[in-house]
Amino acid sequence: MKQEMLRMKELINKLNEAARVYYQGQDEVMSNYEYDKLYDELAALEEKTGVVMSASPTVHVGYETISELPKEAHIAPMLSLDKTKEVASLVDWIGEKKGLLSLKLDGISVILTYEGGRLSKALTRGNGEVGEVITNNARTFVNIPERLSFTGRLVVRGEALIRYSDFEILNNQTAEIGEKYKNPRNLCSGSVRQLNNEITAKRRVHFYTYNLIMTDDNREFSTKEEGLDWLSGLGFDIVPFKTVDKNTLSESVAQFSEEIASCDLPSDGLVLTYDDVSYSRSLGRTAKFPRDSIAFKWKDELADTTLRKIEWSASRTGLINPVAVFDPVELEGTTVSRASVHNVSVLRDLKLGIGDRISVYKANMIIPQIYENKTKNDHCEIPKKCPICGQETTLVNDNGSVVLMCQNPNCYAKKIKALSHFVSRDALNIDGLSEATLEKLVNEKVIHSLTDIFSLEKSKDIFVEMEGFGEKSYQNLLEAIEAAKDVPAAKVVYSLGIKGIGLSTAKLIMNAYPVSLSELKNLTKEELCRIEGIGEVLACSFVDFFAQEKNQQMVEELEKILRIQYPSVEGEQPLAGKTFVITGTLTQFANRSECKEKIESLGGKVSGSVSAKTSYLVNNDITSSSSKNKKAKELSIPIITEEELLSLISS
C-alpha cells in the first residue's frame, strides 16, 4: 500500500508539472500519449486503493467566495499542552513507558472530518471550544486526500502550515522588508481563514496529521503509532516522529534539534506523548491540559535592553519603516543594537516609547526582533515629514497594516535605494558601489539614473578625488561594471525594483516568457497570472511598471548596454521538470548559488529540502549520514555527485 501511495504522489507531481508547462506555452515535458498513459495509471491506482489526493489531476476543486466563516462547537475541547524547556523533565515524565516524540509544528490546528470517504468538514481550533468552519479552504490544501478508501466517518487532528520553502517564495515576491510576511505561521493563519479559497490555494498550505480522534466503526489500535501508520496508508502526511523511552529520549531530542536547522517544516518545539492508547485514555485531562502529552519548547535566547530611539528608514518604494535602536546586547554569538519594527501597526501594538525596557531575540537565529515591551510608554511620534526629502508623509492601510509613505516621486531616498538595489548581489552585483558611494556620486551629480552607472569613465577626475577612492579602486570599479554587463535576464528584471517582484518571481516570469527585455511590456495581467506562484497583485504591479513610458525607455537603454543571457529555448533545457536539492561541500562550483543558477538556467528547480518531489540530491559525500541523505534513501531518491550532475547536464 505504501509503495502504491508513493507511486501515486509521484504521478501527481509529474502530471501537474506537465500540465503547468503545457498551459504556460513552454517546452512540453511529455507527449500527449505519455500524459494519457500516466493519467490512466494514476486513475487505476486511485480505483485500486480507494484514495484520491486533493492535488490529483483527476479531481478539480472549485474556487468559491463566501461572506463569512461560520462557527461551530468542537465535539470535545481542543486543549493546549503543558510545556517544559528541560530535557530532564521529559525523561521524568515518560517514566517506564514508551512514547512518541514528534515535531511541534508551528501552524494552525485543524480538525478534518471525512464521511463516505470524502472530506465533509474542516474546523480550526478557534478558542478550543468553538472553531471556524474552513471546509472549502481545506479542500485546496496541497497534500490532503480528496477521497479515502475508508468510507466510514473519520475524524483526525493535525497542523495546517506553510513550509519554509514556499514561505520564502512568497516573501521573495515582496521586495521591501516592511512589506514582507513576518513568519510562516502568521501567513498560514490568514491563508486558511480566507473567504475566497482561491487565495488559500495560491499559498500552498500543507496539512500534517498527528492524532486519530475517532472512527464510526470504533476501530481500535493498541498504540498511537499503529493509528498513525493506518492514517499514512490512507494517504495522510504524518508529522515527523520517533519512538522513544527514557533511555533514548535525550538522544532523540538532540537529533531533532540538529535536524530542525534544515527542516522545511516550521516548528517551535517537540511533543512527547504516551504511545499506549489505553493508558493515555485512563489519564484524562486537567481543566487546561491533556495528561497524556507534554510540549518541549526550543529555548529562545532573549536579552533585555533599553530602547533609545526610533529611526525612520525610507525605501525605494516610498515606504518609511520604523527601526528600533537599543543598547547593544549579545544574541546567538553576535552583538545587535537594531531591530526592524516593520510598520506603524506593529509600532502601535508594541506601545513603544523611548526608554522602554524591551526583550529582543533573533527570529530563526538571524533577524533581530522585539519579543516584548515590558514598560509600554507608548509615546513614539509618527513623523509628518519624510526624514529624507522633508515632504509630507501619509498613513496608508496596506492589506490591514498601517504603513507610513512618502508621496514625493523625486524623494532623494527613493533614488539612492533604487540605485543600491540595482547594483546589489542578486541584481547586477557590482562590487565597489556601496550605498555611501552612490550617495556621493548622486550629490556630485555624476549619477542621475540607473544607466549613468555605465558611463563612470567620464567622471574619473571626480572619482579619484573622492575620499576612500584612488586610481586603483577606480579601475577595479570599472572592471566590476564591465563584468556585470554579462547578466541573466531574471536578474535584470529583479534589478528594476518592480514592487513585489523578487528574484524568484523574476525567474518564473522569464522562464515562462523568455522574450527580450523590451518585449516584456507586451505581457498582460492574464498571461502573468497563468504562471504558478504569481497572483493578480504581482501581475498588476509588473504590468503597471512596464506601462510607464519612462520605464520602457530605461529598459531599452539597458538592453543596448547589457549582454543579457536569456533562458534556454526549446530543446536546450535538459533539466526541465527535475527538482534538485544541493548539500555538502562543492568542488566544481564556486558555491551553492552558482550551482543553483546553473540548474535553473537549464530548466531545473532547486529546493531547500528533500521530499517526494525531489528528483536528485546533489552531495559529493554519498556515504554521509546527514538527515538529507537519510531522507533521500528513505524515498529512493538518487544521490549524485557534482561530476554526475555535470554528466546529466551534458547528456
Side-chain angles (χ1 to χ4, degrees):
M1 184 70 169
K2 285 189 176 180
Q3 288 301 316
E4 291 166 335
M5 293 301 305
L6 286 174
R7 177 57 178 165
M8 286 168 61
K9 291 179 179 179
E10 180 185 4
L11 288 170
I12 289 169
N13 291 334
K14 286 184 177 180
L15 290 168
N16 285 343
E17 177 62 15
R20 182 188 69 80
V21 170
Y22 175 81
Y23 286 116
Q24 288 177 4
Q26 298 180 40
D27 184 22
E28 293 183 8
V29 298
M30 65 176 68
S31 65
N32 288 339
Y33 172 82
E34 186 180 2
Y35 182 94
D36 291 340
K37 181 181 177 181
L38 295 180
Y39 184 98
D40 291 341
E41 181 187 353
L42 174 62
L45 284 170
E46 289 174 345
E47 180 69 25
K48 178 181 178 181
T49 62
V51 175
V52 181
M53 305 301 293
S54 63
S56 173
T58 65
V59 296
H60 298 281
V61 178
Y63 295 134
E64 179 185 346
T65 300
I66 57 177
S67 58
E68 63 178 6
L69 293 173
K71 308 288 195 301
E72 186 173 310
H74 294 293
I75 57 175
M78 290 181 71
L79 304 175
S80 57
L81 297 178
D82 199 4
K83 301 174 181 65
T84 182
K85 290 190 176 183
E86 303 299 330
V87 177
S89 297
L90 293 182
V91 175
D92 290 341
W93 187 89
I94 198 67
E96 300 302 320
K97 297 291 182 180
K98 181 183 175 183
L100 297 184
L101 185 68
S102 62
L103 284 180
K104 185 176 182 295
L105 299 178
D106 192 18
I108 306 299
S109 292
V110 174
I111 286 184
L112 300 181
T113 300
Y114 284 79
E115 295 182 89
R118 294 185 179 275
L119 179 67
S120 61
K121 183 168 59 182
L123 202 59
T124 67
R125 181 180 184 276
N127 62 7
E129 299 286 343
V130 177
E132 291 176 306
V133 180
I134 58 162
T135 311
N136 195 45
N137 293 340
R139 289 195 174 102
T140 72
F141 290 177
V142 173
N143 62 333
I144 66 165
E146 172 69 16
R147 191 169 76 230
L148 301 176
S149 57
F150 178 76
T151 56
R153 188 166 190 262
L154 169 70
V155 183
V156 299
R157 181 175 176 179
E159 200 83 355
L161 57 81
I162 293 177
R163 302 178 306 179
Y164 280 124
S165 54
D166 293 321
F167 178 73
E168 182 180 359
I169 290 171
L170 286 163
N171 251 357
N172 283 342
Q173 293 169 355
T174 304
E176 293 298 332
I177 191 169
E179 299 169 318
K180 291 180 184 292
Y181 300 108
K182 193 172 182 181
N183 56 53
R185 188 185 189 283
N186 286 0
L187 178 58
C188 183
S189 177
S191 299
V192 303
R193 300 175 66 253
Q194 290 289 327
L195 299 180
N196 180 348
N197 71 338
E198 184 174 6
I199 299 174
T200 309
K202 290 178 179 178
R203 302 282 174 81
R204 292 187 57 77
V205 179
H206 285 68
F207 180 82
Y208 290 85
T209 312
Y210 54 76
N211 193 13
L212 169 60
I213 296 178
M214 66 158 289
T215 62
D216 62 354
D217 63 355
N218 296 317
R219 183 177 301 256
E220 289 288 341
F221 297 100
S222 59
T223 67
K224 293 177 183 176
E225 184 177 9
E226 290 175 0
L228 291 176
D229 283 343
W230 181 69
L231 289 174
S232 178
L234 291 179
F236 290 98
D237 281 339
I238 308 301
V239 62
F241 70 88
K242 303 176 189 290
T243 56
V244 296
D245 57 29
K246 68 177 183 181
N247 297 315
T248 61
L249 183 53
S250 297
E251 180 184 354
S252 294
V253 171
Q255 288 173 349
F256 268 123
S257 300
E258 180 181 349
E259 293 167 2
I260 198 65
S262 58
C263 183
D264 202 25
L265 307 180
S267 168
D268 57 354
L270 303 171
V271 173
L272 179 61
T273 185
Y274 294 115
D275 192 28
D276 188 315
V277 173
S278 296
Y279 181 72
S280 289
R281 286 176 182 164
S282 71
L283 296 175
R285 60 183 177 88
T286 69
K288 292 184 178 181
F289 310 118
R291 290 194 174 99
D292 71 335
S293 302
I294 186 171
F296 173 80
K297 300 285 286 183
W298 308 124
K299 286 186 177 180
D300 288 320
E301 186 178 349
L302 294 172
D304 288 349
T305 184
T306 301
L307 180 67
R308 294 303 177 190
K309 64 179 177 178
I310 295 290
E311 290 183 350
W312 294 87
S313 174
S315 73
R316 59 186 170 81
T317 62
L319 273 174
I320 305 175
N321 303 315
V323 178
V325 181
F326 43 81
D327 291 339
V329 291
E330 290 288 322
L331 285 176
E332 310 292 349
T334 60
T335 301
V336 296
S337 59
R338 301 164 64 86
S340 171
V341 190
H342 301 287
N343 54 49
V344 174
S345 287
V346 175
L347 183 80
R348 288 172 172 172
D349 288 344
L350 287 169
K351 297 182 179 180
L352 291 174
I354 307 307
D356 272 336
R357 289 296 291 171
I358 58 175
S359 292
V360 295
Y361 72 106
K362 277 190 175 181
N364 297 326
M365 297 187 178
I366 299 171
I367 305 168
Q369 301 278 312
I370 296 177
Y371 174 75
E372 180 186 15
N373 182 6
K374 298 184 174 182
T375 47
K376 299 182 179 179
N377 284 319
D378 196 17
H379 54 63
C380 282
E381 292 186 8
I382 312 300
K384 296 179 180 179
K385 304 281 187 183
C386 173
I388 306 300
C389 70
Q391 297 296 308
E392 295 287 333
T393 60
T394 306
L395 289 172
V396 178
N397 189 310
D398 183 18
N399 293 322
S401 295
V402 178
V403 298
L404 188 66
M405 299 287 297
C406 172
Q407 303 290 355
N408 177 15
N410 299 312
C411 179
Y412 178 77
K414 292 182 182 180
K415 180 179 290 188
I416 298 298
K417 295 291 184 180
L419 289 165
S420 182
H421 176 77
F422 183 73
V423 303
S424 63
R425 183 182 63 182
D426 287 339
L428 271 292
N429 192 21
I430 302 177
D431 190 30
L433 280 180
S434 66
E435 191 166 303
T437 300
L438 288 168
E439 284 187 28
K440 292 177 182 177
L441 294 173
V442 170
N443 289 334
E444 292 284 350
K445 296 182 172 50
V446 171
I447 293 179
H448 302 278
S449 65
L450 302 183
T451 53
D452 289 337
I453 288 173
F454 301 98
S455 303
L456 293 184
E457 69 276 1
K458 300 176 183 178
S459 308
K460 178 179 178 179
D461 293 343
I462 295 175
F463 237 103
V464 295
E465 291 178 4
M466 283 171 46
E467 184 179 352
F469 267 86
E471 181 71 33
K472 180 63 175 175
S473 55
Y474 173 69
Q475 290 301 325
N476 289 341
L477 177 58
L478 292 184
E479 290 174 9
I481 291 172
E482 183 61 29
K485 291 180 181 179
D486 295 299
V487 57
K491 287 197 169 190
V492 182
V493 173
Y494 170 68
S495 76
L496 299 176
I498 306 168
K499 185 176 181 181
I501 306 298
L503 181 57
S504 297
T505 308
K507 288 178 180 178
L508 289 175
I509 293 171
M510 292 311 304
N511 286 334
Y513 302 105
V515 297
S516 67
L517 215 61
S518 56
E519 290 178 287
L520 290 174
K521 67 177 182 291
N522 299 323
L523 291 179
T524 65
K525 183 183 73 174
E526 290 72 25
E527 287 173 323
L528 291 164
C529 285
R530 291 186 199 131
I531 304 172
E532 183 180 354
I534 295 182
E536 187 171 345
V537 173
L538 289 180
C540 287
S541 177
F542 190 90
V543 170
D544 289 347
F545 178 90
F546 279 96
Q548 297 179 43
E549 188 176 348
K550 65 174 184 177
N551 292 334
Q552 293 178 19
Q553 291 174 352
M554 177 180 64
V555 165
E556 289 171 3
E557 289 179 37
L558 287 174
E559 238 178 354
K560 296 174 183 176
I561 295 169
L562 302 174
R563 297 181 288 270
I564 302 173
Q565 303 150 10
Y566 290 96
S568 302
V569 296
E570 187 172 355
E572 297 178 355
Q573 291 195 309
L575 303 185
K578 295 180 173 63
T579 299
F580 295 78
V581 174
I582 308 166
T583 190
T585 303
L586 300 179
T587 57
Q588 304 296 313
F589 294 91
N591 49 47
R592 292 185 192 178
S593 293
E594 183 178 287
C595 184
K596 178 182 177 183
E597 286 185 10
K598 183 64 175 178
I599 291 170
E600 290 177 338
S601 71
L602 297 171
K605 294 181 179 179
V606 177
S607 174
S609 61
V610 177
S611 70
K613 295 182 179 180
T614 305
S615 306
Y616 298 96
L617 172 64
V618 181
N619 188 353
N620 287 321
D621 185 2
I622 294 178
T623 62
S624 166
S625 60
S626 68
S627 59
K628 289 182 180 177
N629 270 33
K630 289 179 182 177
K631 187 71 172 178
K633 289 174 183 176
E634 287 173 8
L635 298 174
S636 300
I637 292 165
I639 304 173
I640 62 174
T641 63
E642 282 178 274
E643 286 80 3
E644 290 171 312
L645 171 63
L646 293 171
S647 297
L648 190 67
I649 291 171
S650 59
S651 62

